[in-house]
Amino acid sequence: VGTIWASASHPGRGGAGVGRLAEVARSHPAPRIAIGGVTPARAEEAIRAGAHGVAVVRGIWFAPDPRGALIRYLEVVERVANPDPPIHP
């Protein structure tokens, strides 16, 4: 679902916003991936609005530390999508 936030990939177009993502989540049971202007901070908002995950290009591709950026995105998605991880003995 996108473009959620304004993105350099779509110059001159604003994003649809997380309200659109929530609307799609209410009306379609299929898994939803948020794309467009997603940052690690915005990833949490997207997941809470109904996304199952996020798609990112520039946030990783152009990051000074791509591996570190990827880890930050994964940590946010994992923390928000699985707030109660299983306890392992």
Side-chain angles (χ1 to χ4, degrees), residues 45-74:
E45 188 176 358
I47 300 287
R48 294 194 188 286
H52 289 88
V54 297
V56 180
V57 177
R58 292 176 187 273
I60 294 172
W61 190 262
F62 293 110
D65 174 15
R67 183 177 185 277
L70 172 62
I71 289 169
R72 283 189 296 283
Y73 280 101
L74 290 173

Side-chain angles (χ1 to χ4, degrees), residues 74-89:
L74 290 173
E75 287 173 346
V76 169
V77 171
E78 196 57 34
R79 176 177 49 80
V80 178
N82 299 306
D84 298 315
I87 299 172
H88 298 286

Side-chain angles (χ1 to χ4, degrees), residues 18-51:
V18 291
R20 175 69 176 134
L21 179 58
E23 178 184 310
V24 171
R26 285 190 301 273
S27 61
H28 298 286
R32 295 155 305 274
I33 305 298
I35 189 168
V38 179
T39 64
R42 290 174 171 170
E44 179 170 350
E45 188 176 358
I47 300 287
R48 294 194 188 286

